[in-house]
Structure formats: C-alpha cells, structure tokens
Amino acid sequence: VAVGPYLKTPNHGPGIYEREGWQPGQSGERTITFTRTSGSAEPTNYVVRWSGNDETFHSPDSIQLPLNTPVALPVRIAVKTAGAHSAILNLDEPGGARSGGARSVYQVMNTVIAAEQFTAAQNYTVTREGSAEYPGYTSYFFNVPRNSSAFKVEAKIQTGTMKFRFMRPSGKEFDSARDTPVRWQPEYQTQGTLDRIIADPEPGVWQVVVE
C-alpha cells in the first residue's frame, strides 16, 4: 500500500490495514501471526471473536498458542460493498465472552477499503447517493488510475449545507490553498451543485469526505 514502506517495520504492523487493492465483490486471504510471550509453559487455547464485523472478515473460531512460538491465523476477506470495512479481532480467554465469562486478552483492528472503480464501460463515471447528519460526515473512496489528467467530484445538494475534503492516497489531506492556483470558495455551500476538480491527481485511492 502507499504508506506501507514508511512504517517502523516496512509493510508490517498490527492487524490488517489495506487502503488499496480492494474493490466490491473481491475476496482474498491474509495471515495474522500471534506469539504468546508470558504465562503457562503449556499451550493455551483462545477463542477468536470478531467485534463490529459486517461479515467481511472470517477466521477459525479458536487458536492454540504455545509459549514463545509464532502461530499463524488465516483470515479470509470477502468484500461485498464499496467503502471502509473494519472489525476488531479479539482473543478471549477460554470460556470467555461467548460464555458470559472471562475477558479479552488481546485486541487488534482490521480494515480494508474497497474503492469505487472508474471503467470505460461506465464512461469513467461513478454516481452515488448519500447523506450525513450534522455535525457528521460520510466518506467515499475512488481508485484514480495512473496517468489520469483530472479527478472531478460533483454533488447535487438536495438539502442542507455541505463541503468537500479530499484525502490523498498517501493519507495526507489535499490543501486547496497550497495545491490549486485559486483557493476553493465557498467553504460551505447550500443548495445547487458543488464541484471540485483536481488536475493531475496522484494515482491510488482517494477519500472524498462530504461534511
């Protein structure tokens, strides 16, 4: 992914975070490796439980961890819809949350983002409807192909007041004051059509935040 090389250990970190490479309808498998470094010298069984999962992530229901021995847990990912899909993977003590008892001994967040795709069959256009309640926001993700001359976003405002924010594939926010010849105005708009054009966009998954 775009930011993977900049992690403390390049392309390695806790859990799964993949901002790029996914689209609706795609599936695949990843591996999370666990190492137990304290406790009994005998292997210990843990219950694997997912929190907040929209059926994107699937794994075995349990894992056995010997002391100081890495164990791989296969995680199957099946993305049904566009957008961000996140869930927390919990390792519960034996007889844990499912039995109304013990606590979770480890938690890790997992996120994949399935971006909208621009295709010739759709004239390189994606159309969606949505809403956000004040003071919240909603996000859309678009995979901008390499060598694109421009990335245009247009919204027809049905009701309320809104503005756009853009997050680059690198995760940094696009600053209109610095990155465009003229600062976009107004900051917020009521009614009508709001559009923004980014010339020569960097390729990758852009996040469009509608506030």
Side-chain angles (χ1 to χ4, degrees):
V1 298
V3 298
Y6 304 104
L7 296 175
K8 183 177 181 180
T9 301
N11 301 312
H12 288 79
I16 298 167
Y17 177 74
E18 298 189 12
R19 182 185 172 92
E20 299 179 337
W22 291 92
Q23 57 183 291
Q26 185 176 351
S27 62
E29 187 171 292
R30 299 293 184 266
T31 299
I32 300 178
T33 300
F34 295 93
T35 304
R36 183 171 62 86
T37 59
S38 63
S40 172
E42 297 298 320
T44 302
N45 291 314
Y46 295 95
V47 174
V48 178
R49 176 174 56 88
W50 292 89
S51 301
N53 191 9
D54 62 358
E55 298 302 316
T56 296
F57 301 94
H58 306 266
S59 70
D61 292 333
S62 64
I63 187 172
Q64 186 179 77
L65 299 181
L67 186 63
N68 296 320
T69 302
V71 177
L73 178 75
V75 177
R76 184 169 61 86
I77 302 171
V79 181
K80 297 179 180 179
T81 60
H85 301 270
S86 296
I88 297 173
L89 186 154
N90 302 268
L91 293 189
D92 291 343
E93 291 179 334
R98 290 180 180 173
S99 303
R103 62 189 175 89
S104 175
V105 298
Y106 184 77
Q107 295 181 314
V108 64
M109 176 66 79
N110 300 271
T111 300
V112 295
I113 294 174
E116 304 278 6
Q117 306 294 311
F118 294 107
T119 64
Q122 296 179 330
N123 197 29
Y124 300 103
T125 300
V126 175
T127 302
R128 294 290 181 266
E129 294 184 0
S131 63
E133 297 294 332
Y134 179 83
Y137 65 90
T138 188
S139 291
Y140 299 89
F141 299 88
F142 301 91
N143 183 28
V144 177
R146 191 172 300 278
N147 298 322
S148 296
S149 60
F151 174 40
K152 179 180 180 180
V153 179
E154 179 179 288
K156 294 182 179 179
I157 304 171
Q158 300 298 324
T159 184
T161 300
M162 60 166 285
K163 74 172 181 178
F164 287 137
R165 292 172 56 205
F166 292 85
M167 304 301 293
R168 299 174 177 272
S170 62
K172 295 182 179 180
E173 185 167 3
F174 182 88
D175 185 350
S176 65
R178 182 186 63 220
D179 299 324
T180 59
V182 178
R183 184 175 179 84
W184 291 333
Q185 293 291 343
E187 281 293 304
Y188 287 88
Q189 182 170 317
T190 302
Q191 300 182 341
T193 298
L194 176 62
D195 65 81
R196 297 288 185 260
I197 298 175
I198 298 175
D200 299 320
E202 60 191 271
V205 175
W206 283 74
Q207 178 183 2
V208 179
V209 182
V210 181
E211 292 186 352

